[in-house]
Amino acid sequence: MATDLARLSPAALTTTGSENGLSELLSEVLGKTPPPSPFAERMATAARVAGYRALANAVGARYRLCSFDNYAVSEESTTERRPSQRDVYRAVLDFAERIEERMLTGGGLLLWGRPGTGKDHLLCACMYWAILKHGWWTRWIDGLTLYQRARDMIGQPGSEEDFLRQFTDPTILAISDPVPPKGDTSPYATELVQKICDRRYRDCKSTWATMNVVDGADAAARMASSIIDRMKDKSLCLECNWPSFRKALS
């Protein structure tokens, strides 16, 4: 498993040089995979390549090459009553390795804590793995864009159902910081996001998120508690409150 994780990491995939090279690598690795379970449709090899490229473009240059191999662990242990960075890294890696079990119940991944701790790096690494290894349809969006698009629906022609389906149809939906800015989200936009989470919950589809909040209680205070409750159910929820990686130029 660890070998396949490394071989399908974004950094390794850039060395293939072409779409055909990536397809051949996927075929070789996937040839060792047992037949897919019937609980979720899987993409063919060509679609996985396209999905990987689309995700890499969506998350932007900073997260394009994120993998488990290039995630830097600087905090090995802690005396505080919280998991260390090493603990969180290992838990997320285990989540990726056992993702089939999580998907059966719609369990997701929630990473919360202070900004700059590498939450989105780990989220993207899991998403690449879900696309390339398992062939699941995965969509990523940042929270500000999601709420903006929901606000733009107000008074505009078009079907609300079409808007919702963009985010309810994918097997996995990953949201970077879905916690809205205080006082900057209309009730209608919040209602649309709540509908997305509720429908995904009822359909047992996995929702992943990173949140720049202190803890789950802080998230519930800033979002509708029903949204947080649904996202937390059967999900791996981890606190990321070690020092930020981000540094100013000296």
Side-chain angles (χ1 to χ4, degrees), residues 169-201:
D169 283 357
T171 309
I172 297 171
L173 174 66
I175 310 173
S176 176
D177 200 13
V179 179
K182 292 182 179 179
D184 193 36
T185 303
S186 70
Y188 178 70
T190 301
E191 178 184 344
L192 286 181
V193 174
Q194 187 164 353
K195 286 181 179 180
I196 291 169
C197 293
D198 180 65
R199 188 174 301 181
R200 293 188 61 82
Y201 180 78

Side-chain angles (χ1 to χ4, degrees), residues 43 48 99 125-138 172 208:
M43 296 186 292
R48 297 183 194 205
I99 196 171
C126 276
M127 292 180 68
Y128 288 134
W129 184 241
I131 293 172
L132 293 167
K133 178 69 174 181
H134 298 286
W136 286 315
W137 179 15
T138 302
I172 297 171
W208 303 358

Side-chain angles (χ1 to χ4, degrees), residues 29 34 57 82 111 124 133 189 197 238 242 249-250:
V29 173
N57 288 332
R82 63 168 175 80
L111 303 175
C124 288
K133 178 69 174 181
C197 293
L238 297 169
W242 48 85
L249 291 176
S250 55

Side-chain angles (χ1 to χ4, degrees), residues 18 52 87 121 137 142 144 160 176 186 194 196 204 224-225 233 235 250:
S18 67
Y52 160 71
D87 293 334
H121 185 128
W137 179 15
D142 69 87
L144 286 176
E160 180 180 295
S176 176
S186 70
Q194 187 164 353
I196 291 169
C204 288
S225 59
D233 188 38
S235 295
S250 55

Side-chain angles (χ1 to χ4, degrees), residues 228-246:
I228 297 298
D229 284 344
R230 283 162 173 75
M231 294 178 72
K232 288 170 60 179
D233 188 38
K234 298 182 179 64
S235 295
L236 176 64
C237 305
L238 297 169
E239 180 184 357
C240 306
N241 270 323
W242 48 85
S244 172
F245 287 110
R246 296 170 185 158

Side-chain angles (χ1 to χ4, degrees), residues 17-61:
S18 67
E19 297 292 313
N20 289 337
L22 178 52
S23 296
E24 291 172 3
L25 176 59
L26 276 173
S27 297
E28 180 182 345
V29 173
L30 297 177
K32 302 181 294 182
T33 305
S37 302
F39 67 87
E41 294 183 1
R42 311 300 179 99
M43 296 186 292
T45 299
R48 297 183 194 205
V49 173
Y52 160 71
R53 302 295 188 197
L55 175 59
N57 288 332
V59 300

